[in-house]
Amino acid sequence: MDELLSIRKSFQDEIEAAEDLTGLQQIKIKYTGKKGLLSAKMKSLSSIPPDKRPAFGSAINEVKNFIEDILTQREVLLKGKDKEKRLQSERLDISLPGKFIPFGNGHPIVQILEEIKDIFSSMGFDIEEGPEIELDHYNFEALNIPKDHPARDMQDTFYISDDVVLRTHTSPVQIRVMEKRKPPLQIIAPGKVYRCDADLSHTPMFHQVEGLMVDKDISFSDLKGVLELFIHSLFGKDTPVRFRPSYFPFTEPSAEVDIGCIFCSGKGCRVCKTTGWLEILGSGLVNPKVFEMAGYDPGEYSGFAFGMGVERITMLKYSIDDIRLFYENDLRFLRQF
Amino acid sequence: MRVSLEWLKDFVEIKAEPSEVAARLTMAGLEIEGIESVEGDTVFEVNVTPNRPDCLSILGVAREVAAAFGLKLKLPDTQIKAQIPASDFSVEIDDPKLCRRYTGRLINDIIVGDSPEWIKKRLEKSGLRPVNSIVDITNYMLLEFGHPLHAFDADKISGRIIRVAKAGKNSKITTLDGADRVLPEDSLLIWDSEGPVAIAGIMGGEGSSVTNSTKNIFLESAYFAPFSIRRTSKELSLRSESSYRFERGTDIEFLESALNRSALMIRDICGGKIHEIVDNYPEKYIPRKIEVRYKKINDLLGTGLRDAEMLEILNRIGIKTEDRGDHFTAYPPVYRSDINKYEDLVEEIARIFGYNNIPARRPKAALSAGILNLKEIRRRKIREAMRKSGFSEVVNYSFMNPADLDILALPENDERKKCIAVMNPLRQEESLMRTTLVPSMINNFLYNLSHGIRNIRLFEIARIFIDKGEQLPSERLRLGGIYFKEEDISIWKDKLPSFFVAKGSLQALFDELKITGLSFVPSVELFLHKGKSADILINGKNIGFMGDLSPDVVGKIGLKIHNPEIVVFELDVDLLMTMLPDRTKYSQIPKYPSIERDISIVMRDDITSGSVLEYIKSCQAELIESVELFDYYKGGNLPQNSKSLGFRIVYRAKDKTLTENEVETLHQSLVQSILVKTGGELRG
Ligand SMILES: [Zn+2]
């Protein structure tokens, strides 16, 4: 019995000293292995008197159970420690940056163009396109701007030949569409336009969105309704809007549409030239002469048209003060959008 | 046009504040662009639209003020009542289409000097410089009544005759500004018995001009056809306050009052004797009349105006009306040459009623299901894919520098040399329309590089223009791009040729567009690096190119970087659009498992990986689901001029589970045929 006690004692000392799973494994073999100390004790049972065997046997089992329990506990503990150590060694500097290619940016003009197209699409307008190099006929004549008419002074034109120009507005698309489609129609025509003009506030190329709606009984009221809805979608529903008489050869009555200055809330500032209003688009009822030239009967149909400069709207939306920034294509500018 | 408030008050009793006057005029269509205080007076900057020549005067603006505020207009008396001598001047008009009326008065024994202060002040406030009393009075009348007058020194007119006729061949004149001018054949001139004395309606001749020693003058007040004045003024590049008004249209009846009032002013200020009017007026003005239904006006405006309201508005702006039951007749005054049709009346009623009083409504018309068209959706997909690959979008002018084509060294018969030229470019650098986006891409790259940016990925979607000999050029949508990275300063380095970064971006684009049948073959473009460029084919059709700029081009653009890898690309978007699948169609997910086999082969370096890949795909195509190149290796202990390629081949049958044995047999025979085909050997 004393021997069992000393086995138990030495086991306890050794297990305390064991620091890793290898040490533990050796202890396990030494005590509980097939050739271990406890197996040897079991085998020695045959050499003791039969009457003492049961007591001695259960004493061995008790020690065996005790040792196995401790071994299990110890194994769990050491395994945990081991795992911890491995994870520690695999630790990353999580403050290092991730690997990615930063997405590129959309050009602000194209982004605002898409916004405008989305608004009109949701109102049921189709998108149409026309050539950027255009016949004088479509750019001027069919829009009621004959040669020798002072209205031609309103736009400085780039000429390709006497009859061919770089379109000065997107309005010719109106005519081309009317020639191929019958009413009712509601379209917008976005695109590039060109004017022979370059200074602080003008670039020789810029973008416009033209719009046209034709049906029976379209009135000036409808024009106001559609354009107010558009402006409220683009600039917010509390934006003040006003319609003011103006002149375009291809519409009559014609209207400039102003919005309350978004920089001074209408109080008057440098941007709005103290008027409190900013000109945002031109519009009007389609001039019956234009209908006639496009082959529509002005007695049967009426309609409205409008046009806006995308650069100006973009400058207002993002508080950009120099139109030339759009065409420098400086990445430090582009990356802001 | 600058308009003095104090001067306006000669014609209409304005009590409102200047800001209120400006607001009302603006909302009636006469936009006030600025208000300025000048010596106790207010000067409005008025933007007069081309359709309203009647507003190019104090009187015209006063009429608008009167209408806007419901005030009465006071007109000065222009009658010359005293007994006056007859004139010995005669006037002949050659072509009454170009000069519809010509009047004049002889005024003798005047003394030319400085104008009185009040005239000088008003001229200066309006932006005109005082000259002498006669010139000043004609300018004063031009501003006040909007009718240009011209004073000749009567003693310098030969033969006491004024003839209005075209220039014909070889006519010359020295104008008031001292310039010698050769006159276009069609231009309208004022002649005396010897030769031209003025360019009608545009500028007088120096020889017949009024000076401080002038004693007798002949004062002209005429109506010249707008188109003729405009054409001559344009051809001569000569514009004046006078031509500006004539080309927009003047008042053929009122010109007599302008003549009389200025004659009276001259008599008051310079003394002298006014003679009887000379008036050549071949075809009298016939008043216009317009008929329109009341309902038409309300229908077009969306208003519910009563008949009487409409007539009242028109009467307020000087348009006489007669009610005829369901419609009315309107008689616009002579000076409103812009009012000829019913739509002109609609506009007048709308602007005086006030645009802001017209209700806004959503159209009654049934709206169609608004859709972004397919082209738009696809264009957005392309933009999105490029952005996801790190490319930022640029927008360039559609112009091109002729020198750009030299840099690219395009062959003589290249389509991109068939450029459209602009007749009147702002700068030589912008004199051609782009036939390729590459020069713009290079310029954008250079601009950013010179501003210290070292990682540049840019793209543009824009049209190019090719002259095909038709009236209008062909316009095609292109996608252009450029990629450059000086060094990888990120900590996770990627050391691969820039070519493959750009190629990967384009592959991602094609993948996003679900385009198949893609191949890259050596490019024929001369401005690209021979060994680092590709033409891009879809099902054998060339849709564009990509590659490093050639050393020649790099040298020509003056880049100081050694051996830079600048990759450009350009695709024909219109063509690309035609190759997209119409719709995405679901195909079944495989039911049976696949088996993978890898193979590494050492072969000659000049055999392209693409050709091997194609070959593998063509063998046992039915059972090979996919082949992927997973390893590319050169150098080490491999022989020179050789490389090792590793392919992973996935075998799968559609209708059963392949066994290891089946695949092994297939694979071994595949390996053998690849070795035969490439002349290579398995890598140990
Ligand atoms: Zn403001």
Side-chain angles (χ1 to χ4, degrees), chain A residues 261 263-266 268-272 276:
Chain A
C261 179
F263 298 100
C264 62
S265 309
C269 69
R270 195 180 51 84
V271 182
C272 59

Side-chain angles (χ1 to χ4, degrees), chain B residues 444-457:
Chain B
N444 294 151
F445 154 71
L446 290 174
Y447 179 93
N448 279 290
L449 192 72
S450 73
H451 286 80
I453 298 160
R454 295 286 178 264
N455 184 355
I456 298 166
R457 296 175 195 231

Side-chain angles (χ1 to χ4, degrees), chain B residues 51-93:
Chain B
N51 60 325
R52 293 299 304 273
D54 62 299
C55 288
L56 290 170
S57 64
I58 300 292
L59 173 61
V61 175
R63 274 194 213 110
E64 288 293 304
V65 175
F69 287 88
L71 298 169
K72 235 184 119 49
L73 195 70
K74 302 178 287 180
L75 279 173
D77 191 1
T78 56
Q79 297 287 95
I80 299 176
K81 288 165 192 125
Q83 278 289 327
I84 49 173
S87 169
D88 60 344
F89 264 73
S90 64
V91 171
E92 281 175 20
I93 297 173

